[in-house]
């Protein structure tokens, strides 16, 4: 990196390239935490290099996923708290690729901002790095783009993508799902990173008191509850895949139960969910009450306390739950697979 590079003309146009250099220096200590066996070089080159771990893999298949944090970023900006939103960016990608049975290898991020404030950018990236550590992925590169005139100075957006690897014969493709299989829930930490446009409308988030609703939310404020990072399920699920024949996995993101669970089912099968078994978090009750939202719309927008669902044979359910609990997940059964074309039945 040429730290002598400087352009007064570009700075006059609103882009301070030296701020970018400072941000990179500040984030290096965080990035170092994410290094794994595949990392080949340091941050700062034109492309991130990664050596594929091939041991024990007969037919390697790369699985990729890309996503952002949606308008949850607006909440981070309003609260001036930027060190957790990066966890969300990683989670939305790695939680997707683990649904195929793939182990995340690396992640790259992209930050667009109105003004590059090095300390803020480094704080955002610290969250990205924490997400990478939680998922075992390496942060091998990224981009910060200053967009004066397109975005207000305080605004930014964050997105990224992850790449994982799986042996072709171990790809989860729902072909083994059958009637009588059990559906196991992995609890969410809250709203995660979906449905925030509706959240913002319900609470008029730009004008409301973000320190409110402590009684309804178990002592946490509305702002704290909503900004809680998306849970990353990679390591517990990888541990499960090593010991149990998993039939299918769904990441419950935008579209809630009705959109995401059917994505892991073959044609002719549905999931019957026991409504009474669900451990719905207080934030969802609050959103529904304040927004006067139907239960159907809630389950079609939010995870409702279930961040991921896992389908296994009924004979493997007890063992699967034991493994997941041993790896930090309060897993529990929410339903079963039936022969039907309805997708998801909640009753």
């Amino acid at each position: 990196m040429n730290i002598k590079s400087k352009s007064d003309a570009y700075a006059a146009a609103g882009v301070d390239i030296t701020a970018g250099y400072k941000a990179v220096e500040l984030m290096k200590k965080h990035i170092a935490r994410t290094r794994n066996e595949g990392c080949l070089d340091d941050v700062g080159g034109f492309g991130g290099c990664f050596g594929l771990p091939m041991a024990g893999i007969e037919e390697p298949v790369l699985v990729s996923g890309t996503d952002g944090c949606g308008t949850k970023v607006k909440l981070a900006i309003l609260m001036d708290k930027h060190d957790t939103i990066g966890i969300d960016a990683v989670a939305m990608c790695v939680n997707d690729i683990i649904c195929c049975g793939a182990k995340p290898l690396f992640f790259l991020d992209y930050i667009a901002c109105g003004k590059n404030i090095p300390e803020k950018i480094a704080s955002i990236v610290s969250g990205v790095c924490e997400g990478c550590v939680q998922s075992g992925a390496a942060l091998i590169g990224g981009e910060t783009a200053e967009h004066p005139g397109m975005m207000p100075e305080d605004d930014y957006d964050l997105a990224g993508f992850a790449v994982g690897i799986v042996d072709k014969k171990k790809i989860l493709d729902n072909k083994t799902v059958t009637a009588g299989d059990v559906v196991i829930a992995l609890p969410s930490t809250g709203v995660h990173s979906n449905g925030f446009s509706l959240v913002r409308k319900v609470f008029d988030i730009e004008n409301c008191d973000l320190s409110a609703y402590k009684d309804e939310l178990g002592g946490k404020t509305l702002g704290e509850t909503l900004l809680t990072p998306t849970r990353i399920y990679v390591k517990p699920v990888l541990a499960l895949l090593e010991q149990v024949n998993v039939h299918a996995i769904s990441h419950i993101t935008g579209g809630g139960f009705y959109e995401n669970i059917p994505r892991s089912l073959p044609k002719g099968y549905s999931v019957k969910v026991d409504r009474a078994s669900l451990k719905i978090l207080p934030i969802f009750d609050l959103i529904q009450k304040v927004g006067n939202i139907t239960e159907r719309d809630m389950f079609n927008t939010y995870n409702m306390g279930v961040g991921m669902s896992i389908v296994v044979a009924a004979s493997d359910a007890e063992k699967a739950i034991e493994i997941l609990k041993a790896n930090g997940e309060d897993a529990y059964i929410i339903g079963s697979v039936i022969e039907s074309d309805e997708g998801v039945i909640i009753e």
Side-chain angles (χ1 to χ4, degrees), residues 29-319:
K29 63 181 180 181
H30 302 297
I31 296 171
R33 298 177 56 216
T34 75
R35 289 184 66 84
N36 60 29
E37 69 277 5
C39 294
L40 300 181
D41 57 12
D42 294 324
V43 173
F46 288 98
C49 297
F50 194 90
L52 289 179
M54 303 291 287
I57 299 179
E58 296 178 9
E59 286 188 86
V61 175
L62 296 180
V63 181
S64 61
T66 185
D67 210 336
C69 310
T71 57
K72 186 173 184 175
V73 172
K74 185 65 175 180
L75 182 65
I77 294 170
L78 288 171
M79 295 184 67
D80 194 24
K81 179 173 171 55
H82 313 284
D83 60 347
T84 62
I85 195 71
I87 300 175
D88 293 285
V90 176
M92 298 307 291
C93 297
V94 297
N95 283 345
D96 275 355
I97 66 176
I98 194 63
C99 291
C100 298
K103 176 184 177 181
L105 298 175
F106 59 83
F107 186 84
L108 283 86
D109 64 349
Y110 176 85
I111 304 170
C113 58
K115 182 178 178 59
N116 188 333
I117 301 172
E119 292 77 13
K120 180 191 285 188
I121 299 300
S123 182
I124 296 168
V125 174
S126 73
V128 173
C129 293
E130 175 58 29
C132 287
V133 169
Q134 289 184 24
S135 62
L139 181 61
I140 64 171
E143 172 70 9
T144 301
E146 205 167 6
H147 290 169
M150 288 186 65
M151 305 173 71
E153 288 192 354
D154 289 338
D155 277 8
Y156 64 89
D157 195 13
L158 170 65
F161 77 92
V163 174
I165 191 169
V166 61
D167 201 329
K168 187 176 181 179
K169 64 184 179 183
K170 295 183 178 180
I171 294 175
L172 299 180
D173 57 9
N174 78 25
K175 291 180 180 178
T176 57
V177 173
T178 190
D181 283 353
V182 168
V183 183
I184 297 171
L186 302 188
S188 71
T189 52
V191 181
H192 282 183
S193 301
N194 303 105
F196 267 85
S197 293
L198 180 55
V199 165
R200 289 168 54 229
K201 179 179 183 294
V202 166
F203 295 108
D204 187 17
I205 211 78
E206 285 83 358
N207 301 302
C208 78
D209 180 5
L210 290 171
S211 65
Y213 296 111
K214 281 188 175 182
D215 290 342
E216 294 86 345
L217 298 173
K220 284 190 174 183
T221 67
L222 176 64
E224 290 170 340
T225 301
L226 291 174
L227 202 57
T228 302
T230 304
R231 187 164 182 82
I232 292 176
Y233 302 101
V234 170
K235 292 180 179 179
V237 171
L238 285 176
L240 178 66
L241 291 171
E242 289 179 357
Q243 302 178 63
V244 171
N245 181 20
V246 174
H247 292 181
I249 303 176
S250 294
H251 183 199
I252 313 299
T253 57
F257 278 47
Y258 289 110
E259 181 176 327
N260 291 289
I261 292 178
R263 294 168 65 181
S264 66
L265 302 173
K267 187 176 180 180
Y269 291 92
S270 300
V271 164
K272 186 175 182 180
V273 175
D274 177 10
R275 173 67 172 77
S277 71
L278 296 173
K279 300 176 182 179
I280 296 176
L281 300 173
I283 183 60
F284 297 112
D285 293 329
L286 184 64
I287 292 170
Q288 183 173 8
K289 179 181 177 181
V290 174
N292 191 27
I293 301 169
T294 66
E295 183 164 277
R296 178 65 167 75
D297 281 354
M298 289 297 295
F299 276 96
N300 209 157
T301 306
Y302 298 108
N303 65 63
M304 301 301 285
V306 179
M308 186 162 278
S309 65
I310 299 175
V311 178
V312 299
S315 58
D316 286 329
E318 183 177 350
K319 180 180 180 181

Side-chain angles (χ1 to χ4, degrees), residues 1-6 17-18 21 25 44:
M1 179 182 297
N2 182 6
I3 59 173
K4 294 182 180 179
S5 175
K6 185 177 186 298
I17 57 177
T18 61
Y21 302 149
E25 290 302 314

